[in-house]
Amino acid sequence: MSAGRPELARFSFNQATATHWALPDVVAGCVDAGVPGIGLWREPVAEYGVDRAAKLVRDAGLAVTTLCRGGFFTADDWWDENRRAVDEAAALGAPVLVLVSGGLPPGSKDIDGARARVADAVAELAPYADSAGVTLAIEPLHPMFSADRCVISTLGQALDIAERFDPGVVGVVVDAYHVWWDDTVHDQIARAGEWIASFQVCDWITPLPEGVLLGRALPGDGCIELRRMREAVDAAGYTGPIEVEVFNAQVWARPGADVLAASIDGYLREVV
């Protein structure tokens, strides 16, 4: 990526951080702010149109850093849905498709079996993604999401799957929100090395809101040592984009341009 502002050369704005900002406005805001990269989500892209979105971003000169999300391998239609996600990533020029594995199957308590199913599904999907030039990036989620969203809870568990593949085919996402609590995380980041496909930052605040999904904060508004994690990711050899990705109702209620400016400010103060 390149940008008009050298200090933002690795910065990417995940569109979920300003979820109510229409895609053309997000793109225009990034261009105006000198932001070189954008992380996209499938739902708003589909609403706008994949081909239209690809042209919009391409004409603006932005790099698509990730597309979120594939996975949810316990769903009956996981195979067709994930192939569509890979196709969309390729059409958008997104090098990375983020995978959120899915929780326990309905009525099941077999978390070991669910994790094995994720590994099998990734192995089945990997050749298709490889042929499309898209890296599958396994994202571990905080353990509080194990039952319903993601049975892959640690970076180590994600790496146990990813390391079976070439790092250009399957990698991992280091998302500060989900892994900061783990006392082995810096060792696991060092282990991850070239399997790091994406690095995402935000902050952790308490008390968590009801439903917990919207408990992320802008960098610097919580308790995560973001610079230490960035330094660990750099030391592991990752030189790619750093996405700010925040889910927070109060943040979403602000004008998109203000959210982008605050994201940049937090990134410069707390991450780099």
Side-chain angles (χ1 to χ4, degrees), residues 81-189:
E81 188 61 28
N82 277 275
R83 288 206 307 171
R84 280 192 290 270
V86 169
D87 292 343
E88 291 164 13
L92 292 164
V96 173
L97 174 65
V98 175
L99 300 181
V100 176
S101 67
L104 292 170
S108 174
K109 298 182 180 180
D110 182 8
I111 196 167
D112 293 336
R115 287 174 178 149
R117 179 170 177 172
V118 172
D120 291 344
V122 170
E124 190 172 347
L125 184 63
Y128 188 82
D130 188 24
S131 69
V134 174
T135 299
L136 302 176
I138 303 167
E139 181 173 14
L141 266 59
H142 191 281
M144 65 184 170
F145 296 109
S146 294
D148 61 343
R149 289 187 176 271
C150 190
V151 293
I152 305 300
S153 302
T154 68
L155 190 55
Q157 290 168 358
L159 284 168
D160 288 344
I161 299 172
E163 286 175 340
R164 305 174 193 180
F165 304 89
D166 183 284
V169 178
V170 179
V172 297
V173 180
V174 179
D175 185 325
Y177 183 79
H178 291 301
V179 301
W180 73 276
W181 57 273
D182 185 349
D183 64 346
T184 72
V185 68
H186 291 94
D187 291 337
Q188 295 298 332
I189 289 172

Side-chain angles (χ1 to χ4, degrees), residues 2-272:
S2 61
R5 298 170 60 181
E7 69 274 23
L8 297 182
R10 296 176 67 186
F11 180 87
S12 177
F13 186 67
N14 190 290
Q15 71 173 132
T17 305
T19 195
H20 301 305
W21 213 10
L23 182 58
D25 297 330
V26 177
V27 169
C30 286
V31 172
D32 289 345
V35 169
I38 187 169
L40 297 176
W41 278 69
R42 293 182 65 203
E43 293 82 1
V45 165
E47 183 178 344
Y48 189 77
V50 174
D51 292 339
R52 287 180 69 208
K55 185 178 188 303
L56 175 71
V57 174
R58 183 174 60 249
D59 289 351
L62 294 179
V64 180
T65 52
T66 63
L67 178 65
C68 197
R69 63 195 176 199
F72 287 90
F73 297 117
T74 55
D76 291 338
D77 63 346
W78 76 264
W79 172 245
D80 291 336
E81 188 61 28
N82 277 275
R83 288 206 307 171
R84 280 192 290 270
V86 169
D87 292 343
E88 291 164 13
L92 292 164
V96 173
L97 174 65
V98 175
L99 300 181
V100 176
S101 67
L104 292 170
S108 174
K109 298 182 180 180
D110 182 8
I111 196 167
D112 293 336
R115 287 174 178 149
R117 179 170 177 172
V118 172
D120 291 344
V122 170
E124 190 172 347
L125 184 63
Y128 188 82
D130 188 24
S131 69
V134 174
T135 299
L136 302 176
I138 303 167
E139 181 173 14
L141 266 59
H142 191 281
M144 65 184 170
F145 296 109
S146 294
D148 61 343
R149 289 187 176 271
C150 190
V151 293
I152 305 300
S153 302
T154 68
L155 190 55
Q157 290 168 358
L159 284 168
D160 288 344
I161 299 172
E163 286 175 340
R164 305 174 193 180
F165 304 89
D166 183 284
V169 178
V170 179
V172 297
V173 180
V174 179
D175 185 325
Y177 183 79
H178 291 301
V179 301
W180 73 276
W181 57 273
D182 185 349
D183 64 346
T184 72
V185 68
H186 291 94
D187 291 337
Q188 295 298 332
I189 289 172
R191 169 191 168 191
E194 59 186 334
W195 277 273
I196 300 174
S198 177
F199 178 40
Q200 297 179 330
V201 296
C202 66
D203 226 325
W204 180 284
I205 52 173
T206 53
L208 291 174
E210 183 179 358
V212 305
L213 275 175
L214 306 187
R216 295 175 177 232
L218 293 166
D221 289 347
C223 60
I224 302 178
E225 292 181 293
L226 293 172
R227 182 170 291 108
R228 181 186 177 197
M229 191 170 292
R230 193 270 302 160
E231 289 171 348
V233 167
D234 286 357
Y238 179 76
T239 59
I242 302 172
E243 284 189 14
V244 173
E245 182 188 59
V246 175
F247 311 142
N248 184 296
Q250 292 181 341
V251 172
W252 289 347
R254 296 165 59 180
D258 291 354
V259 174
L260 176 57
S263 298
I264 292 171
D265 180 65
Y267 169 82
L268 294 176
R269 283 187 294 105
E270 303 292 333
V271 180
V272 301

